[in-house]
Amino acid sequence: MSDDNNVPFPDNENLYEGINAQTMNFGPYVMGVKLPTAFVDELYDRGLGLKNDAREQLAGHLQKEHLYTREDKEWFIKEVGPVFSHYRAGHEQYHGLNTFMAENNPGVTFNVQMKLESLWINFMREGEFNPPHTHSKDLSFVIYLKLPDWQEELDNHVANSPKPGSILFKNELDNYPQEMQWKTQQVKVYPHVGVMWIFPALLTHMVYPYKTPGERVSVSGNITYVNRSEFPKHYF
C-alpha cells in the first residue's frame, strides 16, 4: 500500500471536544497500610507460641511456618477488620464498580461479606524463599513483623532484580519486549515492619532469598467473599 493511502491525523488540540469517552483502570488493585505497633507486636507474640505446621498447605521453601488458632483469627478480625472493608471500597472505586452498581442496580445497596479462611506466620531464614505462586480464595495479604539486620547486603546488591527479601507482585504479558510494555507488569515491594499489603488471591507473587543471618517474619492469610453469589454477574 502506498503512502498516498495513509491519512495522518490532524494536528488539532481541540479535536477531542464533543467526544464522550471514558478511561479504564487496568490491572489488579493492591493496597498497603501501616498498622498500629501494639497490634503488630501482639501478632508476633502470638505467633511465637504456635505449633501447628502449615508447610504442607503452602508454596514456600521455609522450615518454619505455623497456623494461628481460631481464637487468634477472631482477635485478628476484631483488630483489623475495618482495613479490609476499606480495601473493598478502594477496589470498587479503582475498577469503577460503584458506577457499575449504580447503572445496573439503581437504589440497591450490596455489602460484601468476608470470612478469614486461613492465617499463618512465616519465619523465613537466610537462603529460604517463596517461588512464584498464587493463593486460594478471593483476597490475600502479608504483614511484616520482623526483619534481619541486612543493610550491608542491601547496600551491596547490584543485580537488576528486586532487593533481597523483597516481595514481587507479578502480572501477565511478560513476553512483551521492554519497548512495548504498555502497562505495569511487576511491582517490587521492599518489606517494612508493621506494613500490610492486601491483594487479589490470584495475583502471582514471590519472595526473593537473602544471605544475611536472621529472621524475616511475616504473617499471611486468605479471605473469602461469602456472599459472592448474591452479587450481579461480572461484579468481582
Side-chain angles (χ1 to χ4, degrees):
M1 182 179 293
S2 66
D3 290 341
D4 292 339
N5 291 323
N6 296 327
V7 181
F9 283 89
D11 185 12
N12 185 348
E13 294 182 358
N14 297 320
L15 188 65
Y16 63 85
E17 289 184 353
I19 298 177
N20 183 18
Q22 292 184 343
T23 58
M24 179 178 62
N25 292 316
F26 191 74
Y29 182 57
V30 179
M31 186 186 84
V33 60
K34 184 72 165 63
L35 299 176
T37 300
F39 168 78
V40 173
D41 290 344
E42 182 167 353
L43 188 62
Y44 178 74
D45 290 341
R46 286 173 177 252
L48 290 177
L50 299 175
K51 302 297 183 183
N52 194 358
D53 197 335
R55 289 178 297 171
E56 289 187 357
Q57 306 174 32
L58 305 175
H61 289 227
L62 281 68
Q63 289 297 315
K64 190 177 177 183
E65 296 176 294
H66 292 142
L67 294 169
Y68 280 92
T69 66
R70 179 181 179 85
E71 180 183 353
D72 292 329
K73 291 163 69 176
E74 292 174 349
W75 166 82
F76 181 90
I77 288 301
K78 288 180 181 178
E79 293 291 326
V80 297
V83 176
F84 294 96
S85 298
H86 186 77
Y87 174 91
R88 279 302 318 165
H91 182 272
E92 290 181 358
Q93 183 177 5
Y94 177 76
H95 289 291
L97 296 175
N98 45 3
T99 302
F100 171 86
M101 295 295 287
E103 292 177 348
N104 293 273
N105 298 271
V108 178
T109 301
F110 288 89
N111 179 37
V112 179
Q113 298 174 10
M114 293 177 277
K115 177 182 177 182
L116 179 60
E117 296 282 356
S118 54
L119 184 70
W120 67 92
I121 188 168
N122 310 286
F123 294 92
M124 186 177 185
R125 299 287 310 188
E126 61 274 14
E128 298 181 332
F129 67 99
N130 247 306
H133 65 285
T134 60
H135 287 191
S136 60
K137 312 308 175 184
D138 294 301
L139 283 184
S140 296
F141 58 90
V142 59
I143 306 170
Y144 300 107
L145 306 183
K146 179 183 176 183
L147 300 176
D149 185 14
W150 54 17
Q151 191 57 52
E152 182 178 355
E153 181 177 353
L154 299 179
D155 292 342
N156 293 327
H157 179 69
V158 295
N160 186 27
S161 62
K163 295 180 180 180
S166 295
I167 186 171
L168 178 73
F169 294 109
K170 187 178 180 64
N171 214 350
E172 68 278 9
L173 302 179
D174 281 346
N175 57 339
Y176 273 56
Q178 185 69 34
E179 64 272 13
M180 294 177 61
Q181 289 183 359
W182 48 269
K183 74 163 191 169
T184 300
Q185 299 166 319
Q186 302 181 31
V187 179
K188 308 166 187 176
V189 179
Y190 177 75
H192 292 278
V193 171
V195 172
M196 173 168 68
W197 289 95
I198 307 173
F199 54 95
L202 291 179
L203 178 61
T204 300
H205 55 287
M206 63 178 294
V207 179
Y208 284 79
Y210 58 92
K211 300 176 182 178
T212 303
E215 287 185 328
R216 174 192 184 276
V217 184
S218 63
V219 166
S220 296
N222 296 322
I223 291 174
T224 294
Y225 296 145
V226 178
N227 58 337
R228 173 189 284 271
S229 61
E230 300 175 5
F231 282 72
K233 187 178 181 181
H234 303 312
Y235 174 75
F236 291 101

